[in-house]
Amino acid sequence: MKAAIYCRLSEEDQDKRSFADDSASIQNQKSMLVQYAIEQGWEIYGIYSDDDYAGADRNRPAFRRLLEDAEKRLFDIILCKTQSRFTRELELVEKYLHGLFPQWGIRFVSIVDNADTDVKGNKKSRQINGLVNEWYLEDMSDNIRSVLRNRRKNGFHIGATALYGYQKDPERKGHLIIDEEAAQVVREVFTLFSQGYGKSAIARMLNDRGVPNPTEYKRRKGIIKAPAKQKNSTLWKYYTIADMLENEMYIGNMVQGKYGSVSYKTKKNKPRPKEQWYRVEGTHEPIIEKEL
């Protein structure tokens, strides 16, 4: 019998020497599962490990490879420390543990909570585990949303990156300071528009001079790691200028919450009504004078 070992940890351990190192908890999971497989007389097909991934993330790279290899019947058993290491979603428990895995001839075993799809009377406990894990996800999501909501109400910046023209203050968490290089471009855009230049004309002027658009600027600074998908994605566009000219952040007001998540189960966002935005005045130094 061939066993595929799957390990997952949602938060990076403090003792990791570098980003590429496995955390101590991942190492402990591997050690425990390898020892268990040896005791059962199972051959270890491979070890699949997702470090720093949440249990609700369906796009975990090792998790996706595990499912692809399971469908190809490359092993007979999936071995985890707990059922929640595989997934915290009840929907996926039903889809894979009770649906596709039996069709593919795959046995699922988790050793701490005694989940085993070869044990018929074990199904209800697996479903209860799935339901408890689902509640955990929902409660955790509500708690995180509550913390973020309070920080937004108090004018703290919580975005992954700062608005073009600003950078995160290394001395004060949640505070923005001016990025002078980008701020010069912001001031130029507002000044040109006040002089009667149209938004498309301003975009053309910046492109003709080879000024990178906000996303490309952040990419060159190493703030955004993903490469440009298209050649023209580095160019200024009409809507980029239009959004900039209407953004109160440039006069020192913190405006957040323009988009809200659809559900804790998805990363998709939807626009929120303007009256539901979080707007706090005078939270950071303005780039543009209010009159302009």
Side-chain angles (χ1 to χ4, degrees):
M1 300 285 282
K2 293 182 180 180
I5 289 174
Y6 179 72
C7 308
R8 178 186 65 78
L9 192 73
S10 60
E11 292 183 0
E12 189 175 358
D13 278 1
Q14 295 298 318
D15 62 348
K16 289 177 74 169
R17 289 176 299 231
S18 73
F19 183 78
D21 287 343
D22 274 348
S23 66
S25 292
I26 284 286
Q27 291 169 357
N28 291 339
Q29 284 182 49
K30 288 178 182 178
S31 177
M32 176 192 298
L33 296 170
V34 167
Q35 183 63 35
Y36 185 86
I38 292 171
E39 290 172 358
Q40 302 303 310
W42 299 337
E43 176 188 346
I44 298 173
Y45 172 79
I47 298 176
Y48 301 74
S49 178
D50 283 317
D51 207 354
D52 306 323
Y53 284 90
D57 188 346
R58 299 187 180 193
N59 292 314
R60 291 169 266 155
F63 179 73
R64 299 308 308 172
R65 282 194 295 107
L66 177 76
L67 296 178
E68 290 168 6
D69 291 349
E71 189 173 6
K72 295 173 186 173
R73 280 80 163 175
L74 297 181
F75 43 76
D76 309 292
I77 299 165
I78 292 176
L79 180 62
C80 297
K81 179 182 177 183
T82 64
Q83 183 176 300
S84 65
R85 296 302 91 195
F86 177 74
T87 182
R88 288 192 181 275
E89 293 188 74
L90 183 57
E91 179 186 346
L92 295 190
V93 170
E94 291 299 322
K95 180 178 179 180
Y96 290 105
L97 271 65
H98 303 148
L100 292 174
F101 286 172
Q103 293 178 33
W104 298 342
I106 302 291
R107 176 184 175 188
F108 179 87
V109 177
S110 60
I111 59 179
V112 173
D113 49 9
N114 299 311
D116 188 342
T117 53
D118 258 16
V119 180
K120 192 173 182 181
N122 194 252
K123 183 176 181 180
K124 286 186 176 64
S125 66
R126 293 194 300 270
Q127 289 172 323
I128 291 170
N129 283 343
L131 186 58
V132 170
N133 288 325
E134 184 88 24
W135 288 339
Y136 170 84
L137 277 181
E138 190 170 4
D139 289 346
M140 182 174 63
S141 175
D142 288 342
N143 290 338
I144 291 172
R145 268 200 292 249
S146 176
V147 171
L148 295 181
R149 185 164 53 245
N150 286 334
R151 288 188 64 80
R152 285 183 177 124
K153 284 181 177 179
N154 288 312
F156 291 102
H157 179 264
I158 63 166
T161 63
L163 177 70
Y164 178 74
Y166 289 98
Q167 59 188 3
K168 292 184 174 182
D169 188 342
E171 304 297 328
R172 286 173 56 192
K173 188 176 181 180
H175 182 246
L176 298 179
I177 56 176
I178 292 177
D179 174 359
E180 193 54 45
E181 183 180 351
Q184 289 178 9
V185 179
V186 175
R187 294 187 191 103
E188 182 181 1
V189 168
F190 275 84
T191 301
L192 288 171
F193 189 73
S194 72
Q195 292 172 350
Y197 288 91
K199 297 162 190 172
S200 295
I202 296 172
R204 278 196 304 272
M205 292 168 69
L206 295 173
N207 290 330
D208 288 345
R209 284 174 24 218
V211 178
N213 70 7
T215 303
E216 179 62 15
Y217 176 81
K218 292 178 182 180
R219 191 176 287 117
R220 294 183 186 184
K221 292 289 185 180
I223 300 169
I224 294 178
K225 305 297 182 184
K229 294 181 179 179
Q230 299 174 347
K231 189 175 181 180
N232 66 351
S233 64
T234 65
L235 301 177
W236 290 83
K237 305 286 177 61
Y238 172 94
Y239 59 81
T240 311
I241 302 296
D243 288 345
M244 179 180 289
L245 291 168
E246 295 180 355
N247 198 326
E248 285 189 59
M249 295 276 283
Y250 291 120
I251 58 171
N253 298 338
M254 188 67 70
V255 182
Q256 300 181 102
K258 294 182 179 180
Y259 293 85
S261 61
V262 176
S263 163
Y264 68 91
K265 290 188 176 185
T266 176
K267 293 183 178 180
K268 290 182 179 179
N269 290 324
K270 62 179 180 180
R272 303 176 72 212
K274 197 168 184 177
E275 58 271 15
Q276 292 183 14
W277 295 357
Y278 298 92
R279 181 179 177 277
V280 183
E281 295 186 2
T283 59
H284 51 274
E285 185 180 355
I287 292 176
I288 301 300
E289 293 298 326
K290 195 170 183 179
E291 293 73 18
L292 179 58

